[in-house]
């Protein structure tokens, strides 16, 4: 028997048992070549729980975890087992996977040159999208905005020119709530980046352009004045569903989000705004360059092995089992004939939505199998296969998703708004981590003050203070850390060019579904 962690998201129905003892843990133990004891890890407290388990000597053999800031310190403390020889001698499925996708192995290597992490491929899609009321563009005779200045002017027109035709000034141009602000942050390229000489830098000028944009919207009454208190984006979403929001920067990185936005809520939008037409636009060009949305992590490193594991060979056998289509399809969709049937394209179709929600969805379709590569399931592993174009609302969702993917295909690695995906960045040493937290807290307050401060506190003043805080609190040392890492690892690290290699490898299957 081996032991393995399982995320406890606190959402398992009482009728299903516990996250460590339910129909799926029983199914795994009935079908796996290895018996598994599951150790629950509260999702919101993963770092604390994992550290306590290792400190007490009770850590499981296999730790499933996405966050590099949890896994990297375990490597530094020599708590993890190298996997190269184990995979070479005892694996069939995972070894074949690494041979087919060498980038996965590269991403799992540590500074000693050995492999310590298991990984999987995801379907590549944009992390965020910008949804716009196309009917409002038509009514006000406005073009699709291609620059951030045009986006600003469009938002102003949506707020001031009565696009819903009710003779009231009751519409907002765009949302700035923190929950959806990630799209706008990426639009302006506000993240640690690398210049042409290989030096890391924080883009203060990009940040200022973003704050100038927000300040113009706030001063002009174009956005909800209470956007700062809309922490989870609930108010912005409701304004969008009520037909009162013209530009909605939204997360669009999983099927559940797409389904909720464009299928579950489509009837609500049409009831509140019968003439509503939605479209998704490419990211407009900012004053400091053309950037794109971040991407769903194309390659996630998801599991490590405890250095103290007594039977690592059985761990490898279990990983190989999880890579089989039988395990992957079942743990993602449930039992054929009970939870799903095969549709016209041979892909799973849910039989009973409520039954699926109660008996399958509580493990998010992935938590028991965080190494399975859905993209290896042919077209069935891709998001578009989940939509039924025979249903009007699902055809709308599929058409909008197609626009989103076409926007992705028109981008290139140089437009990526950061050094790389955050899950592939190195973990800062504790002193620099604390320094960055202090910098972010102080500069966030300054930039907010600039947005809300009218003429009394300008963005130029905020820029000067932000730069001073960066220098005072250790920003230069943070830049030096990333510069050193980049120069030492640029040939093997998972940088945007490798992301686009995966995009290219998936494109044909995606386009087959998006015809």
């Amino acid at each position: 028997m081996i032991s393995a962690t399982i995320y406890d998201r606190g959402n398992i129905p009482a009728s299903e048992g516990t996250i460590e003892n339910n129909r799926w843990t029983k199914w795994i133990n009935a079908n796996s070549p290895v018996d598994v004891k599951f150790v629950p890890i509260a999702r919101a407290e993963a770092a604390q729980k994992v550290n306590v388990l290792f400190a007490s000597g009770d850590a499981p053999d296999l730790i499933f975890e996405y966050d590099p800031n949890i896994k990297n310190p375990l490597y530094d403390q020599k708590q993890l087992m190298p996997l190269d020889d184990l995979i070479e001698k005892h694996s069939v499925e995972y070894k074949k996977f690494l041979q087919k996708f060498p980038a996965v192995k590269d991403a799992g290597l540590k500074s000693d040159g050995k492999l310590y992490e298991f990984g999987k491929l995801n379907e590549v899609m944009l992390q965020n999208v910008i949804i716009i009321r196309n009917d409002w563009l038509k009514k006000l005779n406005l073009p699709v905005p291609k620059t951030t200045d045009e986006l600003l002017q469009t938002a102003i027109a949506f707020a001031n020119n009565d696009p819903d035709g009710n003779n009231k000034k009751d519409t907002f141009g765009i949302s700035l709530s923190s929950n959806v602000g990630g799209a706008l942050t990426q639009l302006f390229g506000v993240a640690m980046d690398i210049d042409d000489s290989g030096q890391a830098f924080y883009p203060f000028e990009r940040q200022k352009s973003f704050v100038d944009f927000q300040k113009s919207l706030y001063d002009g009454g174009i956005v909800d004045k209470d956007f700062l208190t809309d922490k989870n984006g609930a108010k912005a979403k409701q304004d969008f569903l009520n037909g009162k929001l013209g530009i909605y920067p939204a997360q669009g990185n999983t099927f559940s989000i797409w389904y909720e936005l464009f299928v579950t809520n489509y009837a609500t939008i049409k009831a509140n705004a019968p003439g509503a037409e939605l479209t998704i636009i490419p990211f407009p060009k900012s004053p400091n360059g053309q950037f794109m949305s971040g991407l769903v992590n194309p390659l996630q490193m998801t599991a490590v092995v405890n250095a103290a594991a007594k039977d690592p060979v059985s761990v490898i056998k279990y990983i190989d089992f999880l890579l089989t289509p039988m395990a992957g399809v079942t743990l993602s969709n449930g039992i054929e004939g009970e939870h799903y049937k095969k549709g016209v394209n041979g892909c799973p179709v849910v039989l009973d939505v409520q039954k699926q929600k109660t008996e399958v969805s509580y493990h998010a379709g992935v938590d028991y199998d965080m190494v399975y590569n859905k993209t290896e399931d042919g077209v069935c592993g891709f998001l578009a296969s989940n939509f039924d174009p025979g249903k009007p609302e699902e055809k709308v969702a599929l058409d909008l998703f197609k626009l989103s993917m076409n926007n992705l295909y028109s981008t290139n690695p140089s437009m990526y708004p950061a050094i790389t995906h955050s899950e592939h960045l190195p973990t800062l040493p504790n002193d620099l981590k604390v320094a960055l937290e202090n910098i972010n807290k102080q500069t966030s307050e300054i930039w907010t003050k600039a947005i809300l401060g009218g003429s009394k506190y300008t963005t130029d003043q905020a820029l000067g203070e932000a730069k001073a805080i960066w220098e005072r609190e250790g920003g230069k040392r943070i830049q030096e850390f990333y510069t050193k890492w980049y120069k030492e690892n640029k040939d093997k690290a998972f940088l945007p060019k490798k992301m686009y290699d995966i995009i290219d490898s998936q494109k044909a299957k995606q386009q087959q579904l998006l015809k």
Side-chain angles (χ1 to χ4, degrees):
M1 174 178 283
I2 65 169
S3 53
T5 63
I6 177 67
Y7 284 141
D8 185 351
R9 300 175 185 270
N11 61 345
I12 183 169
S15 59
E16 288 293 292
T18 63
I19 202 66
E20 68 270 27
N21 183 18
N22 55 69
R23 72 177 66 231
W24 302 114
T25 60
K26 292 171 184 174
W27 183 90
I28 288 170
N29 279 312
N31 291 276
S32 168
V34 178
D35 289 334
V36 185
K37 175 186 176 183
F38 292 93
V39 178
I41 300 286
R43 186 69 182 98
E45 302 168 3
Q48 179 183 353
K49 178 68 173 178
V50 169
N51 288 335
V52 168
L53 287 170
F54 272 96
S56 64
D58 295 325
D61 302 310
L62 182 59
I63 296 90
F64 287 103
E65 178 56 56
Y66 295 108
D67 191 347
N69 294 308
I70 295 176
K71 294 177 291 187
N72 288 343
L74 296 176
Y75 165 74
D76 293 336
Q77 298 158 14
K78 303 188 183 305
Q79 301 270 28
L80 301 182
M81 182 177 291
L83 305 173
D84 309 74
D85 290 342
L86 284 166
I87 292 170
E88 180 61 32
K89 294 177 182 178
H90 304 288
S91 173
V92 175
E93 299 298 331
Y94 196 75
K95 182 162 67 172
K96 285 193 299 186
F97 174 61
L98 291 184
Q99 290 168 347
K100 186 174 181 179
F101 299 103
V104 182
K105 182 173 182 179
D106 290 345
L109 296 175
K110 298 298 184 187
S111 58
D112 64 359
K114 296 179 180 179
L115 178 65
Y116 284 85
E117 295 192 66
F118 296 106
K120 69 169 183 174
L121 296 179
N122 294 317
E123 178 181 8
V124 189
M125 63 186 78
L126 296 174
Q127 191 177 47
N128 294 288
V129 295
I130 296 179
I131 308 165
I132 196 165
R133 285 286 297 272
N134 197 45
D135 56 313
W136 287 8
L137 288 177
K138 292 176 181 177
K139 179 173 182 180
L140 301 181
N141 197 28
L142 296 170
V144 172
K146 292 182 170 59
T147 67
T148 52
D149 184 60
E150 291 178 1
L151 187 70
L152 174 63
Q153 296 308 314
T154 301
I156 291 171
F158 282 174
N160 291 335
N161 296 350
D162 192 27
D164 60 353
N166 67 353
N167 296 315
K168 297 178 182 178
K169 192 176 183 303
D170 60 352
T171 53
F172 296 122
I174 191 170
S175 170
L176 295 180
S177 77
S178 58
N179 180 261
V180 300
L184 298 180
T185 302
Q186 293 165 353
L187 169 61
F188 283 87
V190 183
M192 184 72 72
D193 211 341
I194 297 289
D195 65 21
D196 292 340
S197 68
Q199 299 289 319
F201 69 97
Y202 184 80
F204 285 101
E205 294 303 326
R206 300 180 194 173
Q207 177 81 66
K208 180 182 179 299
S209 295
F210 180 33
V211 175
D212 283 332
F213 178 82
Q214 295 175 90
K215 187 178 182 70
S216 295
L217 291 166
Y218 184 83
D219 288 347
I222 309 305
V223 296
D224 185 348
K225 291 287 189 181
D226 296 323
F227 74 91
L228 287 171
T229 61
D230 188 19
K231 298 296 185 184
N232 62 2
K235 176 65 164 55
K237 179 180 176 182
Q238 198 57 51
D239 289 336
F240 172 64
L241 296 180
N242 287 342
K244 298 299 180 183
L245 180 62
I247 304 168
Y248 185 44
Q251 293 181 347
N253 57 356
T254 68
F255 176 72
S256 61
I257 292 172
W258 277 91
Y259 198 89
E260 181 186 1
L261 272 176
F262 302 115
V263 179
T264 306
N265 291 316
Y266 184 68
T268 304
I269 296 170
K270 296 298 283 186
N272 291 323
E277 295 177 13
L278 306 179
T279 192
I280 289 174
I281 64 170
F283 269 29
K285 185 177 181 179
S286 82
N288 305 105
Q290 178 71 66
F291 302 101
M292 59 176 285
S293 165
L295 300 176
V296 172
N297 190 354
L299 194 171
Q300 280 186 300
M301 307 314 293
T302 56
V304 292
V305 178
N306 187 346
K310 292 183 174 59
D311 188 1
V313 173
S314 289
V315 173
I316 298 298
K317 290 180 180 179
Y318 181 54
I319 292 292
D320 270 12
F321 164 72
L322 293 178
L323 260 68
T324 63
M326 178 186 74
V329 173
T330 300
L331 293 173
S332 294
N333 301 284
I335 305 297
E336 185 176 2
E338 183 178 347
H339 298 105
Y340 74 91
K341 66 178 181 180
K342 290 184 178 178
V344 291
N345 57 1
C347 299
V349 175
V350 173
L351 290 172
D352 183 318
V353 173
Q354 187 56 49
K355 183 178 178 67
Q356 183 82 2
K357 182 177 180 181
T358 301
E359 299 182 358
V360 180
S361 297
Y362 58 81
H363 58 81
V366 297
D367 284 350
Y368 287 106
D369 193 354
M370 286 169 53
V371 292
Y372 185 62
N373 301 282
K374 289 186 177 181
T375 57
E376 292 297 279
D377 279 347
V379 295
C380 297
F382 291 86
L383 184 146
S385 69
N386 291 271
F387 293 111
D388 180 357
K391 298 177 180 178
E393 67 275 16
E394 294 202 25
K395 185 178 185 306
V396 170
L398 184 60
D399 288 344
L400 289 169
F401 181 65
K402 181 177 181 179
L403 285 175
S404 173
M405 293 307 296
N406 287 339
N407 290 344
L408 170 58
Y409 298 144
S410 68
T411 62
N412 62 70
S414 67
M415 296 163 63
Y416 196 77
I419 298 173
T420 186
H421 192 282
S422 59
E423 290 182 18
H424 292 281
L425 284 173
T427 300
L428 287 168
N430 284 336
D431 62 326
L432 296 185
K433 192 182 298 183
V434 171
L436 185 59
E437 289 171 355
N438 289 336
I439 289 170
N440 288 340
K441 182 177 185 299
Q442 293 178 55
T443 55
S444 176
E445 292 172 354
I446 284 171
W447 292 121
T448 299
K449 181 180 175 183
I451 295 169
L452 307 183
S455 60
K456 295 179 180 178
Y457 190 73
T458 68
T459 57
D460 285 324
Q461 289 174 284
L463 177 63
E465 288 198 40
K467 286 182 174 179
I469 291 169
W470 182 261
E471 292 297 323
R472 184 177 70 241
E473 298 293 338
K476 185 177 180 181
R477 290 190 297 126
I478 295 171
Q479 289 176 216
E480 290 171 347
F481 173 85
Y482 284 120
T483 297
K484 182 174 185 293
W485 173 82
Y486 177 79
K487 290 187 173 182
E488 291 177 351
N489 295 277
K490 61 183 178 180
D491 293 330
K492 60 183 179 182
F494 191 71
L495 299 175
K497 172 61 173 66
K498 291 186 178 179
M499 295 187 191
Y500 275 79
D501 289 341
I502 295 177
I503 292 172
D504 289 341
S505 73
Q506 296 178 356
K507 189 173 180 180
K509 289 179 182 176
Q510 289 170 326
Q511 290 184 320
Q512 179 181 341
L513 288 163
L514 296 172
K515 288 180 181 178

